[in-house]
Amino acid sequence: MKQSINIIISGGGTGGHIYPAIAIANEIKVRYPEANILFVGAKDKMEMEKVPQAGYEIEGLWISGIQRKLTLANLMFPFKLLSSLWKAHRIIRRFKPDVAIGTGGFASGPTLMAANQRGIPTLIQEQNSYPGITNKFLGKNAQKICVAYDDLERFFSEDKIIKTGNPVRQDLLFIHTKVEEGKDFFELDTSKKTLLVLGGSLGARKINQLIEANLDFFKKQDIQLIWQCGKLYFDEYKKYNEVENVQVHQFLNRMDLAYAAADFIVSRAGASSVSELCIVGKPTIFIPSPNVAEDHQTKNAKSIAKEHGAIVVKENELETFPVVLETLLKDKGKQESLSENINELALPNATSNIVNEIEKLIS
């Protein structure tokens, strides 16, 4: 692979698309410090903030998804797509990338389409067990498709698929050495068990309502909470920071320390979260969001549960949650088996393996 390379990476909308993209960029920079890396995202989405924080340049496209009902945004979609395609072509003509990488999200569509039209090799990193519309479309012209689950031949050409796993934050690989640091960082009571609640970067209404409704139950069980309620809900739930043994966070900047400090975890089942939790290896209860394309979070969660690596509680069964959690709290053998089984599903070298495939496209 030549030393002076130009790489475009496009993906965003949620942390599940952004953090894998940043992890890939970081690995490229480790191998090729002189590499020029440009991100392309969607204007007004969280990547426009998170990518510069990670030290990379980003350009924004005027693009968004299609709503399930007739809205003004839907009527604007063709104009947004044309505008984004035009700008993507302009970016690619100026930047001259050697390869374009898509990690999912609306902006990756126009970016990789423009790259394909200009004969630039493309690689898709598909995080979920069920691909979204954008990646299914882009997969037809991509040279490589890096996946985290089996059985994606239904959607992509088998000869393009490489099972690499999903990129994860490299600081998670050593959390077993950070337990004491994590408890100190979050000022936890070391005599109590800690439940970490994760609803995704924006938050999950149903999970937040569940936690709020069970605060007395958690007190009776003598457990303390690190509750990441999300950006959309922080103003509503921050009042519970006044409750003993409860701390509410909009966002967790030190996820490694949160994972290290936790004894049990309740989480959505987005692809990146599932991949991280496999590496973390803590007893986990997944509450998948049913409001995503083809219910892929439920499929992600069930792929772990069928290997006895996690417990799944559906949103329409949340009344069972206190019993499920209390049973788990009392069963040390179950805790140990869940931890061992989920950890066996980890693919910790995913980022390195994806960059290996990128190198093949450029060399």
Side-chain angles (χ1 to χ4, degrees):
M1 189 174 181
K2 56 188 179 179
Q3 296 300 306
S4 179
I5 55 172
N6 295 341
I7 306 284
I8 274 185
I9 304 178
S10 185
T14 67
H17 294 312
I18 297 165
Y19 295 116
I22 291 172
I24 291 168
N26 290 344
E27 176 66 15
I28 292 170
K29 272 293 191 182
V30 167
R31 298 189 194 188
Y32 303 95
E34 300 304 314
N36 300 306
I37 298 175
L38 175 66
F39 280 73
V40 179
K43 285 182 178 178
D44 303 323
K45 295 295 183 181
M46 64 184 292
E47 58 263 31
M48 303 306 292
E49 176 187 350
K50 299 299 179 185
V51 168
Q53 285 177 358
Y56 296 101
E57 183 184 350
I58 186 168
E59 297 222 22
L61 303 181
W62 185 45
I63 189 71
S64 59
I66 300 175
Q67 307 298 312
R68 295 182 183 180
K69 54 189 177 183
L70 185 63
T71 64
L72 179 60
N74 276 356
L75 295 174
M76 293 296 291
F77 179 77
F79 302 101
K80 289 184 177 182
L81 180 60
L82 287 171
S83 166
S84 296
L85 273 169
W86 179 78
K87 185 170 182 180
H89 273 285
R90 196 175 62 178
I91 291 169
I92 286 170
R93 191 165 58 244
R94 185 190 74 238
F95 188 69
K96 297 182 174 61
D98 295 286
V99 66
I101 302 157
T103 62
F106 308 127
S108 63
T111 305
L112 268 66
M113 284 171 65
N116 283 323
Q117 289 166 5
R118 290 181 170 272
I120 294 160
T122 60
L123 177 144
I124 294 170
Q125 198 269 312
E126 173 53 61
Q127 294 122 26
N128 287 296
S129 56
Y130 195 100
I133 294 171
T134 302
N135 275 359
K136 278 193 277 192
F137 176 78
L138 294 172
K140 295 171 185 175
N141 293 313
Q143 278 67 45
K144 301 272 186 179
I145 303 167
C146 296
V147 303
Y149 293 91
D150 295 321
D151 305 320
L152 268 78
E153 295 83 3
R154 295 173 294 156
F155 311 106
F156 305 120
S157 296
E158 189 173 357
D159 60 339
K160 297 181 178 182
I161 295 175
I162 306 99
K163 187 178 180 183
T164 56
N166 285 323
V168 296
R169 305 164 229 244
Q170 294 303 290
D171 56 9
L172 300 186
L173 300 179
F174 309 102
I175 65 157
H176 60 283
T177 67
K178 302 179 182 180
V179 175
E180 189 175 336
E181 184 185 356
K183 291 184 184 296
D184 287 344
F185 183 85
F186 287 100
E187 300 179 346
L188 296 169
D189 184 338
T190 56
S191 68
K192 298 180 187 293
K193 295 293 185 183
T194 301
L195 176 67
L196 172 63
V197 180
L198 303 171
S201 50
L202 298 179
R205 179 181 296 279
K206 289 286 188 181
I207 290 180
N208 287 335
Q209 290 172 341
L210 174 73
I211 299 306
E212 181 181 40
N214 282 282
L215 289 175
D216 288 341
F217 166 74
F218 298 133
K219 184 177 181 180
K220 287 176 186 174
Q221 298 299 320
D222 199 30
I223 56 179
Q224 55 199 341
L225 291 183
I226 301 174
W227 176 7
Q228 184 260 320
C229 69
K231 181 179 180 180
L232 297 179
Y233 303 101
F234 184 67
D235 286 344
E236 183 177 353
Y237 292 102
K238 63 184 179 183
K239 61 188 177 186
Y240 293 112
N241 276 315
E242 305 301 318
V243 176
E244 187 179 8
N245 294 318
V246 175
Q247 46 183 286
V248 184
H249 299 265
Q250 174 175 317
F251 188 80
L252 294 167
N253 287 311
R254 289 300 305 269
M255 279 302 306
D256 58 327
L257 297 184
Y259 282 134
D263 297 290
F264 306 92
I265 298 170
V266 171
S267 177
R268 282 301 201 202
S272 292
S273 296
V274 172
S275 295
E276 289 185 356
L277 290 165
C278 288
I279 288 171
V280 168
K282 300 284 178 83
T284 298
I285 298 173
F286 285 121
I287 303 176
S289 170
N291 306 312
V292 292
E294 302 297 333
D295 199 18
H296 67 244
Q297 283 204 11
T298 299
K299 294 180 175 70
N300 293 347
K302 284 185 173 179
S303 72
I304 306 299
K306 77 177 183 181
E307 303 297 334
H308 309 288
I311 297 168
V312 179
V313 177
K314 293 183 177 180
E315 275 199 358
N316 60 7
E317 299 171 349
L318 287 181
E319 71 278 359
T320 68
F321 174 80
V323 174
V324 170
L325 180 58
E326 186 172 7
T327 303
L328 179 60
L329 291 171
K330 292 177 178 177
D331 191 339
K332 287 274 176 62
K334 180 73 167 177
Q335 295 168 25
E336 290 171 4
S337 68
L338 286 175
S339 292
E340 289 171 9
N341 292 337
I342 196 171
N343 196 228
E344 284 180 7
L345 299 172
L347 294 167
N349 298 318
T351 310
S352 179
N353 291 338
I354 290 166
V355 176
N356 289 344
E357 297 301 324
I358 294 168
E359 285 185 320
K360 293 174 187 176
L361 293 177
I362 299 174
S363 59

